[in-house]
Amino acid sequence: MKSSYLAALLIAPLSACVAAPSADAKPKQASIPADYKAQIKERLKTTLVDPYSLRDLEITAPQPIPYFGSSYPGVCLRFNPKNNYGAYSGMQTYIVYFAGGRMKVIDHPNVKVCGAWKPAPELAG
């Protein structure tokens, strides 16, 4: 009996410290920048050995990308690039998210977050 009374005295003040979220408090959802495809295309041009010979370039629709406990707007991207020897190196998948309107890339992503893929030839070269 004493222990349940003591527990009630300890828990009651702690529960008063936790505020319930208000009904109109909604998480702030950032949007993907209008020029997201141009940013991706520019990044491919500057980082790939031969960006003009990409094969099987595919992208997902813009979606929330979970990253370290937050969520950012972004897309998943996959393609088959050429390596330094001129041979195709196989499909590579990346997640691209946008923070502050600028593109960030996640190498070796967890592709379970990616949605449906669609061809994206407009991003090549």
Side-chain angles (χ1 to χ4, degrees), residues 8-26:
L9 286 176
L10 291 174
I11 294 173
L14 293 176
S15 63
C17 295
V18 178
S22 65
D24 51 303
K26 294 180 183 172

Side-chain angles (χ1 to χ4, degrees), residues 1-86:
M1 176 92 164
K2 281 187 174 180
S3 62
S4 63
Y5 179 72
L6 184 59
L9 286 176
L10 291 174
I11 294 173
L14 293 176
S15 63
C17 295
V18 178
S22 65
D24 51 303
K26 294 180 183 172
K28 183 181 171 188
Q29 180 65 33
S31 61
I32 197 160
D35 69 337
Y36 78 98
K37 285 188 177 182
Q39 288 187 44
I40 293 170
K41 187 173 182 174
E42 186 60 33
R43 181 73 167 261
L44 292 174
K45 280 184 182 180
T46 59
T47 57
L48 296 177
V49 173
D50 186 359
Y52 303 101
S53 63
L54 285 176
R55 282 189 185 169
D56 307 321
L57 189 62
E58 296 178 315
I59 195 168
T60 63
Q63 63 189 39
I65 303 292
Y67 191 64
F68 285 108
S70 292
S71 183
Y72 297 92
V75 295
C76 297
L77 184 68
R78 68 181 174 192
F79 51 84
N80 188 358
K82 281 190 175 181
N83 61 22
N84 288 335
Y85 299 106

Side-chain angles (χ1 to χ4, degrees), residues 79-104:
F79 51 84
N80 188 358
K82 281 190 175 181
N83 61 22
N84 288 335
Y85 299 106
Y88 285 95
S89 57
M91 292 299 283
Q92 296 181 16
T93 303
Y94 298 92
I95 293 179
V96 176
Y97 71 94
F98 295 85
R102 301 303 313 152
M103 184 177 120
K104 311 289 183 192

